[in-house]
Every structure is written in C-alpha cells, then in structure tokens.
Amino acid sequence: MTFLRAAIPADCLAVAALESELFGADAWSPAAVAEELGQRGPQWRRALVAVDGRSVVGYAVLLESGDNADVARIGVSRSHQRRGLATALLASAIEQARAAGSRRLLLEVAADNAAALSLYARHGFTEIARRPRYYSGDVDAVVMQRLLDPVR
C-alpha cells in the first residue's frame, strides 16, 4: 500500500536516486535534494514523499513566498507511474498551498513532457509563458499557473 507523508532527511538519498532516474541531466544533485528537503528560511517549503512499503517511490517539493507558491518538483518512479501517485502528490501540494494562503500556484514543465502537461491541465493549470531552451536538449519550459481560492 502506498501512502504520502512529509519528507524527512533520511529520504534524501532515495529522492536523489529518483531525480537521477527521472530527470537525467536536469536532475538535482544529492546536495540540492538535501537542501530542498531540509531548507528553512524566508520561503515556506514542504516536501512530501510517496512510500510503498519501505521504499520512497515519489516526491513533491512545494515552496511559497507571499501570495505565490511554486511546485518545484514532482516525480514518481517509473515502476509506480500510472497509479495515481502524481495526482495525489499534486492534489496535496494544491491543498497545502491553499492552506498556507497562496493565491496562485506556479510550475514549470518540459514542453515535451506530454504526460505532465496533461496532468497539470486536468488540475486546472494553464500555460502563461514559455522559457526557450530551458532544459537540456534545447527543450522549452512551459510555465503554468493555477489560481487558488482562499480557504474558508
């Protein structure tokens, strides 16, 4: 059974391995993963992991500053894709951003990542800009946003 929980420092190696598996040349380094999962400072950060048994099989990193929040990363192990984990991670990120008072949620996704573009569109994200040749291989980044209703 797979469940979501807050990331802990012990998850860094597993998340770094997933980064390498999923993002290749664009992967965060192990040091960057450790910083993202453990950083404290002016920006509110939240890192979640999806756990199957004892293995981390997915993760999401969300950061918030003022009225905006940013989905910095969502990744799910290839062996666990198409099971709804990315949807669960994204839904949790949306709710956490809303609960933190964010009014807008932003993200960037590779223009050639059709599965991710479809996921984000199904969850109300719309394209607002492009960053040419942002990713390795000269792939554009699609900048997307979702406006958030305040928590009542």
Side-chain angles (χ1 to χ4, degrees):
M1 177 170 169
T2 305
F3 63 94
L4 303 183
R5 64 165 169 76
I8 58 174
D11 297 325
C12 287
L13 289 178
V15 171
L18 285 172
E19 270 289 308
S20 181
E21 171 193 339
L22 298 169
F23 297 107
D26 293 316
W28 290 343
S29 69
V33 169
E35 186 174 319
E36 289 296 326
L37 268 57
Q39 182 152 349
R40 303 290 181 256
Q43 289 185 320
W44 170 88
R45 292 178 187 259
R46 180 76 48 105
L48 300 168
V49 291
V51 179
D52 185 11
R54 300 178 110 186
S55 300
V56 172
V57 297
Y59 60 99
V61 177
L62 178 70
L63 50 106
E64 182 268 330
S65 181
D67 287 343
N68 294 320
D70 184 43
V71 177
R73 195 72 110 195
I74 291 182
V76 175
S77 170
R78 285 187 175 84
S79 65
H80 284 74
Q81 290 177 357
R82 302 278 183 225
R83 298 183 188 185
L85 292 179
T87 296
L89 288 162
L90 180 58
S92 182
I94 291 167
E95 288 310 309
Q96 289 180 27
R98 181 180 284 126
S102 297
R103 300 187 53 78
R104 182 169 75 146
L105 189 54
L106 299 162
L107 58 83
E108 296 166 348
V109 60
D112 63 355
N113 189 339
L117 288 165
S118 176
L119 169 71
Y120 298 135
R122 284 192 315 272
H123 284 86
F125 286 83
T126 57
E127 181 177 338
I128 59 169
R130 289 216 175 205
R131 293 195 170 117
R133 299 179 305 281
Y134 186 80
Y135 295 108
S136 62
D138 290 334
V139 176
D140 292 354
V142 177
V143 181
M144 303 181 84
Q145 77 171 356
R146 176 181 164 165
L147 300 179
L148 301 174
D149 296 324
V151 174
R152 298 182 200 276

